[in-house]
Amino acid sequence: MKHPSSSVKLRKSGDRGQGNHGWLQSKHTFSFAEYYDPGHMGFRSLRVINQDRIKPGMGFPSHPHKDMEIFSYVLEGTLQHNDSMGNGKSLEPGQIQLMSAGSGINHSEYNPSKTKELHFLQIWIEPSIHGLKPSYTEWHPKFGEIDEKTLVISKDGRDGAALIHQDVEIYKVQLAPGKSTNHQLTAGRGVWLQVITGSLIFNGITLDSGDGASLEESGNIHIQAKNEEVAALLFDLN
């Protein structure tokens, strides 16, 4: 096993900001809304990672965004999205939608179920250029997909990835117990790993469900599941 890297900066799940609004329970990795932590304002162009749980029949009414790349990753339940571009979409677990707010857009997000909670990650990334024409794109897993590291978002949209207006690559990591994967980080870039479920070892550091960690040391990154299945998102950022 690789020795723990002193360059790994850990963000424990329990240290995240908490928001309880009755219909919405949210955990904030970085400063967001009423939660302010000057030590956790974001990581490179990554500005928001919110883990949201929305009660049945509730949601965010139509509201504006500008100059931000916003994507949602559904974990449980159904996410109903509508926006001022005319998109009306229902996303299921494992699916990702990405909205480039650009010069300005309005959208709403609801849990259409009468009985089931909606659980999803909402993530904001600053675009490389402001004032872009708003756009919308999605990523869906391929039938029978078992890849341990799958590109889901990129600036060139290759291999079916959702398209983002920033020099980032975002991977879905899915590992069976004891399995591992690697990622090569080039000089000048940084990685953020956000664990969704399970426990893993990230360059010798143990991360549990809800934990995040960053690394800006170039070279090989080794990620290994412990004794349970693991799901995580890996952000490779300029």
Side-chain angles (χ1 to χ4, degrees), residues 54-58 77-78 80 110-118:
I54 296 178
K55 288 187 175 181
M58 305 300 289
T78 301
Q80 178 65 48
Y110 278 98
N111 177 2
S113 174
K114 295 181 180 179
T115 58
K116 295 182 179 179
E117 182 180 71
L118 167 62

Side-chain angles (χ1 to χ4, degrees), residues 8-21:
V8 174
K9 296 181 180 179
L10 183 59
R11 176 66 158 151
K12 293 295 291 180
S13 175
D15 295 335
R16 292 180 293 177
Q18 307 283 327
N20 189 340
H21 305 279

Side-chain angles (χ1 to χ4, degrees), residues 36 48 60 100 145 189:
Y36 176 73
V48 171
F60 300 98
S100 296
E145 177 198 22
R189 298 181 68 85

Side-chain angles (χ1 to χ4, degrees), residues 167-183:
D167 184 8
V168 303
E169 293 183 349
I170 302 171
Y171 296 86
K172 177 185 175 182
V173 175
Q174 187 168 329
L175 300 172
K179 294 295 184 179
S180 64
T181 189
N182 293 285
H183 184 78

Side-chain angles (χ1 to χ4, degrees), residues 35-209:
Y35 170 65
Y36 176 73
D37 180 348
H40 296 92
M41 300 299 293
F43 177 71
R44 295 184 175 240
S45 59
L46 178 58
R47 287 292 171 264
V48 171
I49 301 178
N50 288 347
Q51 182 179 355
D52 291 340
R53 293 180 181 272
I54 296 178
K55 288 187 175 181
M58 305 300 289
F60 300 98
S62 185
H63 57 281
H65 289 286
K66 185 177 181 180
D67 291 326
M68 194 65 71
E69 307 288 293
I70 300 172
F71 79 88
S72 299
Y73 178 26
V74 181
L75 306 177
E76 299 173 276
T78 301
L79 172 63
Q80 178 65 48
H81 165 95
N82 290 279
D83 62 47
S84 53
M85 291 182 287
N87 295 301
K89 302 284 186 173
S90 293
L91 279 90
E92 302 296 332
Q95 299 179 347
I96 289 173
Q97 64 164 21
L98 193 154
M99 183 181 71
S100 296
S103 58
I105 194 171
N106 287 274
H107 80 138
S108 62
E109 295 162 299
Y110 278 98
N111 177 2
S113 174
K114 295 181 180 179
T115 58
K116 295 182 179 179
E117 182 180 71
L118 167 62
H119 182 200
F120 72 108
L121 296 179
Q122 184 166 120
I123 296 164
W124 297 10
I125 294 175
E126 290 187 346
S128 57
I129 301 173
H130 287 188
L132 293 167
K133 181 180 178 181
S135 61
Y136 178 95
T137 182
E138 294 179 2
W139 176 85
H140 291 210
K142 297 176 183 177
F143 179 76
E145 177 198 22
I146 56 172
D147 291 346
E148 293 172 342
K149 192 181 75 169
T150 304
L151 182 69
V152 296
I153 294 175
S154 70
K155 66 177 182 179
D156 57 8
R158 70 183 187 277
D159 300 327
L163 183 67
I164 192 168
H165 299 97
Q166 180 55 271
D167 184 8
V168 303
E169 293 183 349
I170 302 171
Y171 296 86
K172 177 185 175 182
V173 175
Q174 187 168 329
L175 300 172
K179 294 295 184 179
S180 64
T181 189
N182 293 285
H183 184 78
Q184 194 68 28
L185 182 64
T186 59
R189 298 181 68 85
V191 154
W192 183 279
L193 185 72
Q194 186 68 34
V195 182
I196 298 169
T197 57
S199 296
L200 58 81
I201 301 172
F202 175 64
N203 269 24
I205 303 293
T206 296
L207 276 69
D208 299 314
S209 179

